[in-house]
Amino acid sequence: MDEKLAIRPTSESLMYEVVGRWIRSWRDMPMRLNQWNNVVRWEFKNPVFILRSREFLWNEGHSLFATKEEADAECDRIMGIYAKITQEYLALPGYLGKKSKSETFPGAEGTYSIEHLLPDGKAIQGPDWHSDGQNFSKAFDIAFIDKDGNKQYAYQNTWAISTREIGVMLAVHGDDKGAVVPPRLAAIQVVVVPIVNDESKDAVLADARKLMASLAGLRVRLDDRDNLTPGRKFNEWELKGVPLRVEFGPRDMKEGQAVLVRRDTGGKRTVKLASLPAEVQEELEAIQRNLFQRASDFLANNTRDAASLDELKATLTSKGGLVRVHWCGDAQCEGKMKTAAGGKILNVPLGQKPAQAKCISCGRDAPSFALYGRTY
Ligand SMILES: [Zn+2]
């Protein structure tokens, strides 16, 4: 390569020797460390644009606690933040659950994930959180003196969210015209496209700027480039996924109105300029709700049940999507399911009501179901 890259080991092995020197007593905790970095996956195959790449950006959190109880309590908090970001900003529904032992992060005692479904019927993992117990603190001597003067090892957690989540958002909401970005996340929420001819140009642009001023507080862009036709501008902003377009021409100027066009549905309506700020705000919220609802319906309609290994395979082969299967928790049964249908157990969703059901592999009691799917 022309440009040299410096590769470093995983954060745990790089950071924890130093972290061990930062912790002296129980008063130093909890300690929470946040960092952004690029990850390079050295052993790697089957790249998929944005979703699975050799290099990606992520945010990782590392935390240290004096007790196991405090450390475990963090799971709800962090997964709650991730659920909020994915649902309320990216408009992505998903299943929050616990990973199986074989899918747990190496070195961790438990891993929790959010699992999403892509439009092609494949599953993809979103953000995750790991309970590391004292595994790393014992290996790296991250110890402290507790209230009674005894040496103790810290309880640690780690968690991460990556740019893959942006890929999931693009795949789930996008259409043949390009990206569809949820309003709460969009860098540009509204684009104003003036429609002008030579005579009306100055007057329309002057009023379009007033219209812009009335939308202060939102992320708005006026596209006053004069080398492109309105049609070209429409295409360009649709490709980029701007949620709402405001069209404003000489006739609108005369009538004191503007035309709103939604990116998600293509729906068009004319509104009076006096009520424009409120109408735009309402429309953006409606788009945000619609994207989440549409994705939630797709997820619900493509999550099915299977009561046997044969049914699991048949369902996945004919329909794709996610499949709920009752599982006893045994690793051998997990392996059989993997072989039977060419996918894997994604997680065991939280908040289930125990059911009187049998494991689809061995027939033993299995009160909980696991989510199964094919992945990239
Ligand atoms: Zn079983």
Side-chain angles (χ1 to χ4, degrees):
M1 284 184 284
D2 294 337
E3 200 178 334
K4 286 194 174 177
L5 287 181
I7 308 288
R8 65 162 179 82
T10 56
S11 297
E12 283 79 5
S13 42
L14 184 81
M15 289 162 58
Y16 286 0
E17 205 186 311
V18 181
V19 170
R21 282 180 251 147
W22 292 345
I23 299 275
R24 285 284 171 257
S25 99
W26 60 273
R27 290 183 192 84
D28 297 325
M29 280 179 285
M31 179 179 279
R32 292 188 177 90
L33 304 167
N34 171 64
Q35 66 168 349
W36 289 87
N37 52 240
N38 271 28
V39 179
V40 175
R41 243 195 229 121
W42 212 242
E43 286 168 31
F44 177 73
K45 48 186 180 181
N46 305 328
V48 182
F49 179 62
I50 307 187
L51 297 177
R52 204 182 140 73
S53 44
R54 183 182 291 279
E55 186 178 357
F56 56 88
L57 173 69
W58 81 359
N59 172 252
E60 49 179 68
H62 298 257
S63 54
L64 301 97
F65 295 89
T67 66
K68 181 171 163 45
E69 291 70 33
E70 286 172 274
D72 287 348
E74 193 185 45
C75 181
D76 284 351
R77 184 161 167 256
I78 298 300
M79 292 315 284
I81 293 170
Y82 282 152
K84 192 179 164 76
I85 291 167
T86 53
Q87 292 171 21
E88 295 179 20
Y89 287 81
L90 294 145
L92 292 174
Y95 291 100
L96 169 57
K98 189 168 198 262
K99 287 279 194 189
S100 69
K101 230 182 177 70
S102 73
E103 293 285 324
T104 295
F105 175 63
E109 291 181 347
T111 292
Y112 292 77
S113 66
I114 294 176
E115 304 287 335
H116 303 292
L117 177 64
L118 295 171
D120 66 0
K122 285 197 171 157
I124 191 156
Q125 192 197 301
D128 58 8
W129 179 92
H130 313 290
S131 155
D132 296 329
Q134 294 176 312
N135 293 338
F136 289 106
S137 63
K138 283 181 178 165
F140 289 93
D141 197 29
I142 304 175
F144 66 97
I145 303 301
D146 70 11
K147 284 180 184 173
D148 302 322
N150 302 316
K151 179 178 168 174
Q152 304 281 359
Y153 288 101
Y155 289 88
Q156 293 179 273
N157 299 324
T158 45
W159 64 89
I161 186 168
S162 84
T163 40
R164 173 197 281 183
E165 208 64 20
I166 302 288
V168 178
M169 181 202 79
L170 291 170
V172 168
H173 302 312
D175 59 21
D176 290 348
K177 290 179 179 173
V180 179
V181 183
R184 291 185 76 177
L185 199 73
I188 301 172
Q189 296 171 304
V190 183
V191 63
V192 179
V193 181
I195 297 163
V196 296
N197 51 35
D198 287 342
E199 303 91 79
S200 65
K201 191 180 164 187
D202 291 345
V204 168
L205 277 177
D207 273 25
R209 291 202 172 88
K210 278 185 217 157
L211 182 160
M212 287 280 297
S214 78
L215 298 176
L218 295 171
R219 299 187 285 275
V220 192
R221 173 80 60 90
L222 173 69
D223 189 350
D224 57 1
R225 291 176 294 176
D226 55 13
N227 59 331
L228 294 178
T229 63
R232 282 286 299 275
K233 292 179 185 176
F234 296 170
N235 290 346
E236 189 181 318
W237 296 114
E238 280 173 353
L239 181 74
K240 290 179 176 172
V242 172
L244 195 62
R245 178 170 83 228
V246 177
E247 299 175 9
F248 186 69
R251 202 170 68 94
D252 299 311
M253 189 175 69
K254 221 175 283 169
E255 304 284 337
Q257 65 186 33
V259 178
L260 304 185
V261 186
R262 280 172 67 151
R263 176 64 184 89
D264 60 336
T265 59
K268 250 186 188 195
R269 64 192 188 95
T270 304
V271 299
K272 287 290 168 199
L273 290 182
S275 58
L276 186 75
E279 300 271 11
V280 163
Q281 187 69 52
E282 219 166 88
E283 206 72 85
L284 289 174
E285 282 162 23
I287 295 168
Q288 184 79 36
R289 277 196 306 273
N290 179 50
L291 290 176
F292 184 68
Q293 191 56 51
R294 210 156 70 174
S296 300
D297 291 346
F298 178 79
L299 181 64
N301 292 336
N302 288 284
T303 305
R304 302 178 179 88
D305 297 286
S308 68
L309 289 176
D310 287 343
E311 206 181 316
L312 173 64
K313 188 183 177 185
T315 304
L316 271 178
T317 305
S318 63
K319 300 193 172 94
L322 305 178
V323 186
R324 283 180 291 253
V325 287
H326 277 274
W327 173 47
C328 63
D330 187 281
Q332 265 190 344
C333 292
E334 183 183 16
K336 277 184 190 163
M337 286 185 219
K338 200 167 193 166
T339 316
K344 65 178 186 184
I345 286 178
L346 307 166
N347 69 19
V348 177
L350 302 181
Q352 295 186 36
K353 274 189 205 137
Q356 280 196 318
K358 305 284 179 196
C359 174
I360 68 157
S361 176
C362 68
R364 282 180 288 183
D365 284 347
S368 303
F369 65 83
L371 274 176
Y372 187 100
R374 288 178 183 162
T375 59
Y376 281 111

mmCIF file of all heavy atoms in Angstrom, residues 259-298:
data_model
loop_
_atom_site.group_PDB
_atom_site.id
_atom_site.type_symbol
_atom_site.label_atom_id
_atom_site.label_comp_id
_atom_site.label_asym_id
_atom_site.label_seq_id
_atom_site.Cartn_x
_atom_site.Cartn_y
_atom_site.Cartn_z
ATOM 1 N N VAL A 259 -45.466 23.252 -1.872
ATOM 2 C CA VAL A 259 -45.825 21.834 -2.032
ATOM 3 C C VAL A 259 -44.830 20.983 -1.237
ATOM 4 O O VAL A 259 -43.617 21.144 -1.371
ATOM 5 C CB VAL A 259 -45.809 21.430 -3.527
ATOM 6 C CG1 VAL A 259 -46.144 19.948 -3.682
ATOM 7 C CG2 VAL A 259 -46.787 22.285 -4.318
ATOM 8 N N LEU A 260 -45.351 20.106 -0.384
ATOM 9 C CA LEU A 260 -44.501 19.195 0.398
ATOM 10 C C LEU A 260 -44.507 17.822 -0.266
ATOM 11 O O LEU A 260 -45.560 17.297 -0.599
ATOM 12 C CB LEU A 260 -45.032 19.032 1.827
ATOM 13 C CG LEU A 260 -45.229 20.280 2.684
ATOM 14 C CD1 LEU A 260 -45.636 19.881 4.105
ATOM 15 C CD2 LEU A 260 -43.941 21.095 2.721
ATOM 16 N N VAL A 261 -43.313 17.240 -0.428
ATOM 17 C CA VAL A 261 -43.212 15.901 -1.011
ATOM 18 C C VAL A 261 -42.417 15.016 -0.068
ATOM 19 O O VAL A 261 -41.271 15.308 0.279
ATOM 20 C CB VAL A 261 -42.520 15.933 -2.397
ATOM 21 C CG1 VAL A 261 -42.571 14.548 -3.045
ATOM 22 C CG2 VAL A 261 -43.170 16.966 -3.309
ATOM 23 N N ARG A 262 -43.044 13.916 0.362
ATOM 24 C CA ARG A 262 -42.398 12.974 1.289
ATOM 25 C C ARG A 262 -41.494 12.008 0.552
ATOM 26 O O ARG A 262 -41.886 11.453 -0.473
ATOM 27 C CB ARG A 262 -43.477 12.178 2.042
ATOM 28 C CG ARG A 262 -44.090 12.943 3.195
ATOM 29 C CD ARG A 262 -45.257 12.181 3.754
ATOM 30 N NE ARG A 262 -44.844 10.926 4.388
ATOM 31 C CZ ARG A 262 -45.494 10.357 5.395
ATOM 32 N NH1 ARG A 262 -46.558 10.937 5.897
ATOM 33 N NH2 ARG A 262 -45.069 9.203 5.906
ATOM 34 N N ARG A 263 -40.325 11.763 1.107
ATOM 35 C CA ARG A 263 -39.389 10.814 0.502
ATOM 36 C C ARG A 263 -39.846 9.372 0.702
ATOM 37 O O ARG A 263 -39.635 8.516 -0.151
ATOM 38 C CB ARG A 263 -37.987 11.006 1.104
ATOM 39 C CG ARG A 263 -36.923 10.025 0.630
ATOM 40 C CD ARG A 263 -36.649 10.178 -0.848
ATOM 41 N NE ARG A 263 -35.697 9.166 -1.315
ATOM 42 C CZ ARG A 263 -36.048 7.969 -1.762
ATOM 43 N NH1 ARG A 263 -37.322 7.615 -1.785
ATOM 44 N NH2 ARG A 263 -35.128 7.115 -2.178
ATOM 45 N N ASP A 264 -40.481 9.078 1.836
ATOM 46 C CA ASP A 264 -40.801 7.678 2.149
ATOM 47 C C ASP A 264 -41.972 7.146 1.322
ATOM 48 O O ASP A 264 -41.980 5.981 0.928
ATOM 49 C CB ASP A 264 -41.080 7.495 3.653
ATOM 50 C CG ASP A 264 -42.253 8.338 4.148
ATOM 51 O OD1 ASP A 264 -42.564 9.375 3.519
ATOM 52 O OD2 ASP A 264 -42.852 7.959 5.173
ATOM 53 N N THR A 265 -42.997 8.002 1.073
ATOM 54 C CA THR A 265 -44.186 7.524 0.370
ATOM 55 C C THR A 265 -44.348 8.172 -0.996
ATOM 56 O O THR A 265 -45.160 7.722 -1.801
ATOM 57 C CB THR A 265 -45.466 7.853 1.181
ATOM 58 O OG1 THR A 265 -45.518 9.283 1.347
ATOM 59 C CG2 THR A 265 -45.457 7.193 2.545
ATOM 60 N N GLY A 266 -43.614 9.269 -1.255
ATOM 61 C CA GLY A 266 -43.800 10.026 -2.492
ATOM 62 C C GLY A 266 -45.037 10.911 -2.423
ATOM 63 O O GLY A 266 -45.352 11.619 -3.378
ATOM 64 N N GLY A 267 -45.743 10.873 -1.295
ATOM 65 C CA GLY A 267 -46.978 11.646 -1.112
ATOM 66 C C GLY A 267 -46.729 13.147 -1.220
ATOM 67 O O GLY A 267 -45.726 13.654 -0.729
ATOM 68 N N LYS A 268 -47.664 13.832 -1.909
ATOM 69 C CA LYS A 268 -47.519 15.265 -2.193
ATOM 70 C C LYS A 268 -48.703 15.986 -1.621
ATOM 71 O O LYS A 268 -49.834 15.515 -1.752
ATOM 72 C CB LYS A 268 -47.593 15.465 -3.719
ATOM 73 C CG LYS A 268 -46.311 15.874 -4.384
ATOM 74 C CD LYS A 268 -46.588 16.163 -5.852
ATOM 75 C CE LYS A 268 -45.246 16.370 -6.541
ATOM 76 N NZ LYS A 268 -45.337 16.987 -7.838
ATOM 77 N N ARG A 269 -48.491 17.148 -0.993
ATOM 78 C CA ARG A 269 -49.656 17.982 -0.651
ATOM 79 C C ARG A 269 -49.257 19.448 -0.571
ATOM 80 O O ARG A 269 -48.109 19.786 -0.326
ATOM 81 C CB ARG A 269 -50.337 17.506 0.633
ATOM 82 C CG ARG A 269 -49.518 17.601 1.863
ATOM 83 C CD ARG A 269 -50.189 16.823 2.996
ATOM 84 N NE ARG A 269 -49.468 17.082 4.234
ATOM 85 C CZ ARG A 269 -49.832 18.021 5.087
ATOM 86 N NH1 ARG A 269 -50.893 18.761 4.871
ATOM 87 N NH2 ARG A 269 -49.124 18.209 6.194
ATOM 88 N N THR A 270 -50.265 20.295 -0.818
ATOM 89 C CA THR A 270 -50.041 21.730 -0.837
ATOM 90 C C THR A 270 -50.444 22.311 0.511
ATOM 91 O O THR A 270 -51.505 21.958 1.037
ATOM 92 C CB THR A 270 -50.893 22.358 -1.960
ATOM 93 O OG1 THR A 270 -50.531 21.699 -3.182
ATOM 94 C CG2 THR A 270 -50.622 23.841 -2.100
ATOM 95 N N VAL A 271 -49.581 23.162 1.074
ATOM 96 C CA VAL A 271 -49.922 23.774 2.372
ATOM 97 C C VAL A 271 -49.723 25.293 2.289
ATOM 98 O O VAL A 271 -48.909 25.783 1.507
ATOM 99 C CB VAL A 271 -49.059 23.205 3.531
ATOM 100 C CG1 VAL A 271 -49.276 21.720 3.685
ATOM 101 C CG2 VAL A 271 -47.588 23.501 3.329
ATOM 102 N N LYS A 272 -50.456 26.008 3.113
ATOM 103 C CA LYS A 272 -50.336 27.468 3.177
ATOM 104 C C LYS A 272 -49.023 27.837 3.884
ATOM 105 O O LYS A 272 -48.614 27.169 4.841
ATOM 106 C CB LYS A 272 -51.528 28.052 3.953
ATOM 107 C CG LYS A 272 -52.837 28.005 3.162
ATOM 108 C CD LYS A 272 -52.793 29.006 2.005
ATOM 109 C CE LYS A 272 -53.926 28.794 1.022
ATOM 110 N NZ LYS A 272 -53.650 29.417 -0.295
ATOM 111 N N LEU A 273 -48.383 28.906 3.419
ATOM 112 C CA LEU A 273 -47.103 29.308 4.006
ATOM 113 C C LEU A 273 -47.232 29.651 5.495
ATOM 114 O O LEU A 273 -46.314 29.407 6.272
ATOM 115 C CB LEU A 273 -46.529 30.515 3.250
ATOM 116 C CG LEU A 273 -46.025 30.217 1.828
ATOM 117 C CD1 LEU A 273 -45.445 31.477 1.198
ATOM 118 C CD2 LEU A 273 -44.979 29.107 1.832
ATOM 119 N N ALA A 274 -48.388 30.191 5.876
ATOM 120 C CA ALA A 274 -48.578 30.567 7.279
ATOM 121 C C ALA A 274 -48.469 29.361 8.209
ATOM 122 O O ALA A 274 -47.979 29.469 9.330
ATOM 123 C CB ALA A 274 -49.939 31.241 7.448
ATOM 124 N N SER A 275 -48.930 28.201 7.712
ATOM 125 C CA SER A 275 -48.884 27.017 8.583
ATOM 126 C C SER A 275 -47.721 26.084 8.228
ATOM 127 O O SER A 275 -47.619 24.986 8.761
ATOM 128 C CB SER A 275 -50.215 26.264 8.501
ATOM 129 O OG SER A 275 -50.471 25.898 7.160
ATOM 130 N N LEU A 276 -46.849 26.537 7.329
ATOM 131 C CA LEU A 276 -45.752 25.670 6.859
ATOM 132 C C LEU A 276 -44.870 25.098 7.989
ATOM 133 O O LEU A 276 -44.633 23.882 8.017
ATOM 134 C CB LEU A 276 -44.892 26.419 5.832
ATOM 135 C CG LEU A 276 -43.813 25.560 5.166
ATOM 136 C CD1 LEU A 276 -44.421 24.622 4.129
ATOM 137 C CD2 LEU A 276 -42.741 26.428 4.508
ATOM 138 N N PRO A 277 -44.391 25.948 8.928
ATOM 139 C CA PRO A 277 -43.504 25.391 9.963
ATOM 140 C C PRO A 277 -44.152 24.232 10.728
ATOM 141 O O PRO A 277 -43.518 23.197 10.927
ATOM 142 C CB PRO A 277 -43.228 26.583 10.881
ATOM 143 C CG PRO A 277 -43.442 27.789 10.014
ATOM 144 C CD PRO A 277 -44.547 27.412 9.065
ATOM 145 N N ALA A 278 -45.426 24.398 11.120
ATOM 146 C CA ALA A 278 -46.113 23.342 11.871
ATOM 147 C C ALA A 278 -46.339 22.113 10.995
ATOM 148 O O ALA A 278 -46.161 20.973 11.442
ATOM 149 C CB ALA A 278 -47.443 23.862 12.397
ATOM 150 N N GLU A 279 -46.708 22.350 9.723
ATOM 151 C CA GLU A 279 -46.972 21.225 8.803
ATOM 152 C C GLU A 279 -45.696 20.426 8.528
ATOM 153 O O GLU A 279 -45.725 19.199 8.459
ATOM 154 C CB GLU A 279 -47.531 21.752 7.472
ATOM 155 C CG GLU A 279 -48.828 22.520 7.608
ATOM 156 C CD GLU A 279 -50.053 21.622 7.511
ATOM 157 O OE1 GLU A 279 -49.891 20.386 7.540
ATOM 158 O OE2 GLU A 279 -51.166 22.174 7.414
ATOM 159 N N VAL A 280 -44.584 21.136 8.360
ATOM 160 C CA VAL A 280 -43.307 20.461 8.088
ATOM 161 C C VAL A 280 -42.904 19.607 9.285
ATOM 162 O O VAL A 280 -42.518 18.444 9.153
ATOM 163 C CB VAL A 280 -42.207 21.492 7.733
ATOM 164 C CG1 VAL A 280 -40.817 20.886 7.849
ATOM 165 C CG2 VAL A 280 -42.428 22.037 6.325
ATOM 166 N N GLN A 281 -43.024 20.203 10.474
ATOM 167 C CA GLN A 281 -42.678 19.490 11.712
ATOM 168 C C GLN A 281 -43.513 18.211 11.829
ATOM 169 O O GLN A 281 -42.997 17.127 12.122
ATOM 170 C CB GLN A 281 -42.947 20.414 12.898
ATOM 171 C CG GLN A 281 -42.482 19.866 14.234
ATOM 172 C CD GLN A 281 -40.969 19.810 14.331
ATOM 173 O OE1 GLN A 281 -40.294 20.807 14.083
ATOM 174 N NE2 GLN A 281 -40.421 18.644 14.640
ATOM 175 N N GLU A 282 -44.798 18.341 11.575
ATOM 176 C CA GLU A 282 -45.714 17.211 11.681
ATOM 177 C C GLU A 282 -45.362 16.124 10.650
ATOM 178 O O GLU A 282 -45.378 14.943 10.949
ATOM 179 C CB GLU A 282 -47.132 17.719 11.404
ATOM 180 C CG GLU A 282 -48.190 17.112 12.282
ATOM 181 C CD GLU A 282 -49.467 17.921 12.158
ATOM 182 O OE1 GLU A 282 -50.254 17.617 11.252
ATOM 183 O OE2 GLU A 282 -49.642 18.867 12.953
ATOM 184 N N GLU A 283 -45.057 16.587 9.442
ATOM 185 C CA GLU A 283 -44.732 15.649 8.360
ATOM 186 C C GLU A 283 -43.449 14.864 8.695
ATOM 187 O O GLU A 283 -43.371 13.657 8.465
ATOM 188 C CB GLU A 283 -44.559 16.438 7.054
ATOM 189 C CG GLU A 283 -44.841 15.660 5.800
ATOM 190 C CD GLU A 283 -46.323 15.363 5.575
ATOM 191 O OE1 GLU A 283 -47.046 16.213 5.021
ATOM 192 O OE2 GLU A 283 -46.733 14.252 5.947
ATOM 193 N N LEU A 284 -42.467 15.548 9.258
ATOM 194 C CA LEU A 284 -41.213 14.869 9.610
ATOM 195 C C LEU A 284 -41.464 13.795 10.670
ATOM 196 O O LEU A 284 -40.923 12.688 10.595
ATOM 197 C CB LEU A 284 -40.170 15.879 10.126
ATOM 198 C CG LEU A 284 -39.585 16.829 9.077
ATOM 199 C CD1 LEU A 284 -38.687 17.876 9.738
ATOM 200 C CD2 LEU A 284 -38.801 16.070 7.999
ATOM 201 N N GLU A 285 -42.306 14.128 11.633
ATOM 202 C CA GLU A 285 -42.629 13.141 12.669
ATOM 203 C C GLU A 285 -43.392 11.961 12.076
ATOM 204 O O GLU A 285 -43.165 10.809 12.446
ATOM 205 C CB GLU A 285 -43.431 13.797 13.797
ATOM 206 C CG GLU A 285 -42.537 14.614 14.729
ATOM 207 C CD GLU A 285 -43.301 15.617 15.590
ATOM 208 O OE1 GLU A 285 -44.516 15.416 15.809
ATOM 209 O OE2 GLU A 285 -42.677 16.600 16.024
ATOM 210 N N ALA A 286 -44.279 12.264 11.126
ATOM 211 C CA ALA A 286 -45.055 11.197 10.475
ATOM 212 C C ALA A 286 -44.129 10.267 9.673
ATOM 213 O O ALA A 286 -44.317 9.051 9.666
ATOM 214 C CB ALA A 286 -46.116 11.805 9.569
ATOM 215 N N ILE A 287 -43.122 10.840 9.034
ATOM 216 C CA ILE A 287 -42.177 10.024 8.259
ATOM 217 C C ILE A 287 -41.376 9.123 9.207
ATOM 218 O O ILE A 287 -41.197 7.932 8.953
ATOM 219 C CB ILE A 287 -41.219 10.924 7.430
ATOM 220 C CG1 ILE A 287 -42.013 11.703 6.365
ATOM 221 C CG2 ILE A 287 -40.114 10.099 6.775
ATOM 222 C CD1 ILE A 287 -41.223 12.820 5.683
ATOM 223 N N GLN A 288 -40.920 9.715 10.311
ATOM 224 C CA GLN A 288 -40.157 8.943 11.291
ATOM 225 C C GLN A 288 -40.985 7.744 11.783
ATOM 226 O O GLN A 288 -40.510 6.616 11.834
ATOM 227 C CB GLN A 288 -39.767 9.844 12.467
ATOM 228 C CG GLN A 288 -38.880 9.178 13.523
ATOM 229 C CD GLN A 288 -37.421 9.091 13.115
ATOM 230 O OE1 GLN A 288 -36.891 9.983 12.472
ATOM 231 N NE2 GLN A 288 -36.757 8.003 13.475
ATOM 232 N N ARG A 289 -42.258 8.025 12.117
ATOM 233 C CA ARG A 289 -43.153 6.959 12.615
ATOM 234 C C ARG A 289 -43.401 5.907 11.543
ATOM 235 O O ARG A 289 -43.379 4.713 11.808
ATOM 236 C CB ARG A 289 -44.504 7.554 13.039
ATOM 237 C CG ARG A 289 -44.548 8.148 14.415
ATOM 238 C CD ARG A 289 -45.999 8.346 14.876
ATOM 239 N NE ARG A 289 -46.788 9.120 13.932
ATOM 240 C CZ ARG A 289 -46.857 10.456 13.937
ATOM 241 N NH1 ARG A 289 -46.199 11.152 14.846
ATOM 242 N NH2 ARG A 289 -47.595 11.105 13.052
ATOM 243 N N ASN A 290 -43.631 6.375 10.312
ATOM 244 C CA ASN A 290 -43.946 5.451 9.218
ATOM 245 C C ASN A 290 -42.787 4.505 8.926
ATOM 246 O O ASN A 290 -42.984 3.312 8.697
ATOM 247 C CB ASN A 290 -44.325 6.238 7.960
ATOM 248 C CG ASN A 290 -44.629 5.317 6.790
ATOM 249 O OD1 ASN A 290 -45.408 4.372 6.924
ATOM 250 N ND2 ASN A 290 -43.984 5.552 5.655
ATOM 251 N N LEU A 291 -41.556 5.044 8.924
ATOM 252 C CA LEU A 291 -40.398 4.187 8.623
ATOM 253 C C LEU A 291 -40.267 3.078 9.663
ATOM 254 O O LEU A 291 -40.024 1.913 9.338
ATOM 255 C CB LEU A 291 -39.107 5.024 8.576
ATOM 256 C CG LEU A 291 -38.986 5.981 7.385
ATOM 257 C CD1 LEU A 291 -37.713 6.815 7.491
ATOM 258 C CD2 LEU A 291 -39.007 5.209 6.065
ATOM 259 N N PHE A 292 -40.451 3.449 10.935
ATOM 260 C CA PHE A 292 -40.342 2.438 11.988
ATOM 261 C C PHE A 292 -41.483 1.431 11.895
ATOM 262 O O PHE A 292 -41.279 0.220 12.022
ATOM 263 C CB PHE A 292 -40.316 3.100 13.369
ATOM 264 C CG PHE A 292 -40.110 2.110 14.483
ATOM 265 C CD1 PHE A 292 -38.905 1.448 14.625
ATOM 266 C CD2 PHE A 292 -41.133 1.818 15.377
ATOM 267 C CE1 PHE A 292 -38.708 0.513 15.628
ATOM 268 C CE2 PHE A 292 -40.945 0.885 16.394
ATOM 269 C CZ PHE A 292 -39.730 0.236 16.514
ATOM 270 N N GLN A 293 -42.691 1.942 11.619
ATOM 271 C CA GLN A 293 -43.852 1.058 11.527
ATOM 272 C C GLN A 293 -43.714 0.076 10.360
ATOM 273 O O GLN A 293 -43.961 -1.120 10.497
ATOM 274 C CB GLN A 293 -45.135 1.894 11.370
ATOM 275 C CG GLN A 293 -46.410 1.093 11.538
ATOM 276 C CD GLN A 293 -46.462 0.372 12.877
ATOM 277 O OE1 GLN A 293 -46.249 0.979 13.925
ATOM 278 N NE2 GLN A 293 -46.689 -0.943 12.855
ATOM 279 N N ARG A 294 -43.272 0.600 9.223
ATOM 280 C CA ARG A 294 -43.118 -0.228 8.023
ATOM 281 C C ARG A 294 -42.091 -1.335 8.272
ATOM 282 O O ARG A 294 -42.314 -2.501 7.947
ATOM 283 C CB ARG A 294 -42.636 0.682 6.886
ATOM 284 C CG ARG A 294 -43.045 0.291 5.518
ATOM 285 C CD ARG A 294 -43.040 1.478 4.571
ATOM 286 N NE ARG A 294 -41.686 1.942 4.274
ATOM 287 C CZ ARG A 294 -41.413 2.900 3.380
ATOM 288 N NH1 ARG A 294 -42.383 3.474 2.702
ATOM 289 N NH2 ARG A 294 -40.175 3.276 3.164
ATOM 290 N N ALA A 295 -40.961 -0.944 8.900
ATOM 291 C CA ALA A 295 -39.916 -1.930 9.187
ATOM 292 C C ALA A 295 -40.392 -2.929 10.249
ATOM 293 O O ALA A 295 -40.067 -4.114 10.194
ATOM 294 C CB ALA A 295 -38.645 -1.216 9.639
ATOM 295 N N SER A 296 -41.194 -2.446 11.216
ATOM 296 C CA SER A 296 -41.703 -3.338 12.268
ATOM 297 C C SER A 296 -42.684 -4.347 11.686
ATOM 298 O O SER A 296 -42.678 -5.528 12.064
ATOM 299 C CB SER A 296 -42.400 -2.538 13.372
ATOM 300 O OG SER A 296 -41.500 -1.637 13.950
ATOM 301 N N ASP A 297 -43.527 -3.893 10.753
ATOM 302 C CA ASP A 297 -44.472 -4.806 10.103
ATOM 303 C C ASP A 297 -43.721 -5.864 9.303
ATOM 304 O O ASP A 297 -44.062 -7.046 9.339
ATOM 305 C CB ASP A 297 -45.415 -4.038 9.161
ATOM 306 C CG ASP A 297 -46.380 -3.140 9.931
ATOM 307 O OD1 ASP A 297 -46.496 -3.327 11.160
ATOM 308 O OD2 ASP A 297 -46.998 -2.245 9.308
ATOM 309 N N PHE A 298 -42.687 -5.421 8.598
ATOM 310 C CA PHE A 298 -41.889 -6.363 7.804
ATOM 311 C C PHE A 298 -41.245 -7.414 8.718
ATOM 312 O O PHE A 298 -41.260 -8.612 8.420
ATOM 313 C CB PHE A 298 -40.808 -5.612 7.011
ATOM 314 C CG PHE A 298 -39.920 -6.506 6.205
ATOM 315 C CD1 PHE A 298 -40.353 -7.024 4.989
ATOM 316 C CD2 PHE A 298 -38.657 -6.855 6.674
ATOM 317 C CE1 PHE A 298 -39.541 -7.874 4.249
ATOM 318 C CE2 PHE A 298 -37.839 -7.711 5.936
ATOM 319 C CZ PHE A 298 -38.281 -8.216 4.726
#
